[in-house]
Amino acid sequence: MNFIFISPHFPRTYWNFCDRLKRNGVNVLGIGDAAYDSLDGNVRDALTEYYYVPNMEVYEDMYRAVAFFASKYGRIDWIESNNEYWLEQDARLRTDFNVKTGIKSDQILFFKSKAAMKTKYELGGIPTARGHKVVDEADTAAFISEVGYPVIAKPENGVGAADTYTIHTEEELKNFFATKPDEAYVCEEFITGDICSYDAISDADGNPLFESMTVWPPSIADIVNKDLDLAYYTHKDVPESLRILGRKAIKAFGAFNRFVHLEFFRLTKPKKHLGEIGDFVALEVNMRPAGGYTPDMMNFAHSVDVYQIWADMVTKGRRFVPEPEKEYFCAYASRKDGKHYVHTHEEILERYGNVMMMCERMPEMMVRTMGNQMYTVRLEEEQQVLEFIHFVHEQC
């Protein structure tokens, strides 16, 4: 099997996907924008061969890299980055090289367009907020008259929480149209709730080989726009109601043979037509693993190896990693340079060192959301998670 893995060096732990594939006997062919000599030894060891492309935005150069591997190794069986940023390019390369696995260009709309996602949710019988594709101010005002203030306006085809607006008044609506970037937007009714993700690895029939839930902060946009500290955690359990909706979403979107990250609201306030407190309402789908080091947090929480589960899905279509004997909560909390915290770095290590799973500085490009210094711990109770987050984030 010939598997082309796009950008195997970023995020830092993604070499593990390549490593498990190689252990399963796969030719793992990397394409990336880092010079070969700069790659970490783990990345180099996990690859059969590597092709350097200085600017991966240039499609012709990416096409040339895939063509080189095809001419040398034969038919390409998989092309994947597991990265939202390259999702459309991955699909285009699969289409152009007639790769039989994975999402093609004619399917990508439903995975990238927030408006198109609504049709799939409806098909699957999955509750979701009412939405509206923004045309102009009058048209949007008419939508708001139906659902009421506040509303959320966000890029129709965006990654993350950049350029997202919460609109409470007519004046703020006018400001949105005066300041928004020149791109397509969607407007949705406001949902009050926690953000929980259903994370899964699906097989060729859309059945989950692995399932997990992570609890996220109420607004990643606030983390970015208000320069707040980030904390989130992987739960030891998956509520049955979320499990049902997550499985429905995989089938509705045709998200087969993939690692998926599906976001839901868990209502903290009843919402007419959508549900009561504790019910789950679909937010959006992401056809890749959760960001940052969250796959590693899933490993710590569930005492498994999601990289191996994913590689076994690719090569054997089944899960061979055993079910865990014990499960935990795994929590991430980070700090940003320049802020004054009550507890020192040394105090954090002294108090949580025996349960610390990861502790490191984050890459500069991830600092706005993920912070400068991160701490990841494994704990047995949810209350311990909340106490840990408070200890790390408490400011003078």
Side-chain angles (χ1 to χ4, degrees):
M1 177 183 289
N2 296 317
F3 192 116
I4 291 180
F5 200 99
I6 308 295
S7 190
H9 60 291
F10 185 85
R12 182 181 64 78
T13 58
Y14 271 28
W15 65 269
N16 285 286
F17 287 115
C18 301
D19 173 77
R20 305 310 189 274
L21 286 173
K22 194 173 183 181
R23 291 188 198 181
N24 282 13
V26 175
N27 276 331
V28 187
L29 310 169
I31 300 175
D33 57 5
Y36 181 78
D37 290 342
S38 72
L39 296 177
D40 183 86
N42 287 323
V43 180
R44 294 198 298 267
D45 291 344
L47 300 175
T48 304
E49 190 169 349
Y50 180 75
Y51 193 107
Y52 170 55
V53 175
N55 184 358
M56 291 169 60
E57 302 279 0
V58 180
Y59 183 75
E60 291 76 13
D61 291 346
M62 294 296 292
Y63 184 96
R64 189 175 298 113
V66 175
F68 169 79
F69 283 141
S71 65
K72 183 172 182 178
Y73 293 95
R75 183 176 187 84
I76 303 303
D77 300 292
W78 286 72
I79 297 175
E80 185 60 78
S81 66
N82 279 339
N83 192 311
E84 180 99 13
Y85 190 82
W86 302 116
L87 201 63
E88 291 181 74
Q89 183 172 262
D90 291 348
R92 184 178 177 186
L93 288 169
R94 291 188 201 104
T95 301
D96 288 350
F97 284 88
N98 195 28
V99 175
K100 300 300 184 182
T101 58
I103 303 163
K104 307 300 192 298
S105 292
D106 61 352
Q107 302 167 291
I108 201 69
L109 175 68
F110 295 104
F111 301 144
K112 296 291 289 182
S113 163
K114 293 180 175 64
M117 288 177 193
K118 301 289 186 185
T119 63
K120 293 293 186 180
Y121 287 136
E122 183 177 356
L123 177 66
I126 302 164
T128 186
R130 288 172 288 179
H132 165 78
K133 199 165 184 177
V134 171
V135 177
D136 54 34
E137 186 173 342
D139 188 56
T140 304
F143 168 72
I144 294 174
S145 69
E146 294 178 15
V147 301
Y149 286 110
V151 294
I152 297 288
K154 52 191 176 182
E156 205 272 338
N157 185 7
V159 178
D163 301 319
T164 296
Y165 296 74
T166 303
I167 302 170
H168 301 83
T169 64
E170 185 177 339
E171 182 178 348
E172 289 182 356
L173 178 63
K174 292 182 181 298
N175 180 68
F176 161 66
F177 278 96
T179 61
K180 79 175 186 68
D182 185 20
E183 59 181 290
Y185 263 73
V186 293
C187 188
E188 295 182 349
E189 62 181 323
F190 189 86
I191 304 294
T192 304
D194 302 320
I195 297 177
C196 301
S197 64
Y198 170 83
D199 300 279
I201 298 171
S202 64
D203 67 12
D205 297 315
N207 300 313
L209 302 175
F210 167 80
E211 296 171 292
S212 180
M213 179 178 85
T214 296
V215 180
W216 301 84
S219 174
I220 295 295
D222 284 345
I223 301 293
V224 173
N225 299 329
K226 299 180 181 179
D227 196 31
L228 303 179
D229 291 321
L230 173 64
Y232 67 99
Y233 58 97
T234 297
H235 206 284
K236 68 193 303 182
D237 301 311
V238 181
E240 186 62 22
S241 57
L242 178 62
R243 195 187 303 271
I244 291 170
L245 291 178
R247 292 178 178 185
K248 283 184 175 181
I250 288 176
K251 294 289 181 71
F253 281 86
F256 305 150
N257 283 331
R258 296 199 65 78
F259 207 140
V260 298
H261 172 64
L262 314 180
E263 297 179 2
F264 292 82
F265 288 108
R266 182 172 56 189
L267 298 180
T268 54
K269 181 180 178 181
K271 187 71 175 179
K272 189 176 181 181
H273 308 305
L274 290 178
E276 302 297 325
I277 293 174
D279 289 342
F280 290 95
V281 174
L283 173 56
E284 63 182 58
V285 300
N286 298 280
M287 294 302 159
R288 42 77 178 173
Y293 300 145
T294 312
D296 304 278
M297 293 171 62
M298 295 175 196
N299 284 344
F300 301 142
H302 303 298
S303 303
V304 295
D305 184 341
V306 297
Y307 301 108
Q308 188 63 55
I309 295 171
W310 177 85
D312 288 346
M313 174 273 293
V314 170
T315 60
K316 304 169 186 177
R318 294 175 53 198
R319 170 175 172 160
F320 292 88
V321 175
E323 294 294 334
E325 294 183 2
K326 186 171 182 178
E327 304 197 51
Y328 303 84
F329 293 87
C330 186
Y332 175 106
S334 65
R335 293 175 160 188
K336 291 184 177 179
D337 294 347
K339 294 186 177 183
H340 301 286
Y341 298 94
V342 171
H343 303 289
T344 66
H345 173 74
E346 291 70 25
E347 288 173 330
I348 294 173
L349 297 183
E350 180 179 356
R351 180 163 177 170
Y352 290 102
N354 64 325
V355 292
M356 190 75 66
M357 310 306 291
M358 300 179 77
C359 174
E360 61 185 68
R361 301 285 294 180
M362 296 299 290
E364 189 61 34
M365 68 180 298
M366 300 173 73
V367 164
R368 289 187 68 198
T369 53
M370 303 296 290
N372 295 98
Q373 174 66 48
M374 65 86 104
Y375 306 92
T376 300
V377 298
R378 184 165 69 177
L379 300 164
E380 300 206 8
E381 303 295 336
E382 195 163 17
Q383 183 58 38
Q384 293 175 314
V385 169
L386 302 179
E387 291 169 358
F388 161 72
I389 292 170
H390 178 74
F391 192 86
V392 173
H393 283 175
E394 187 178 8
Q395 295 188 37
C396 302

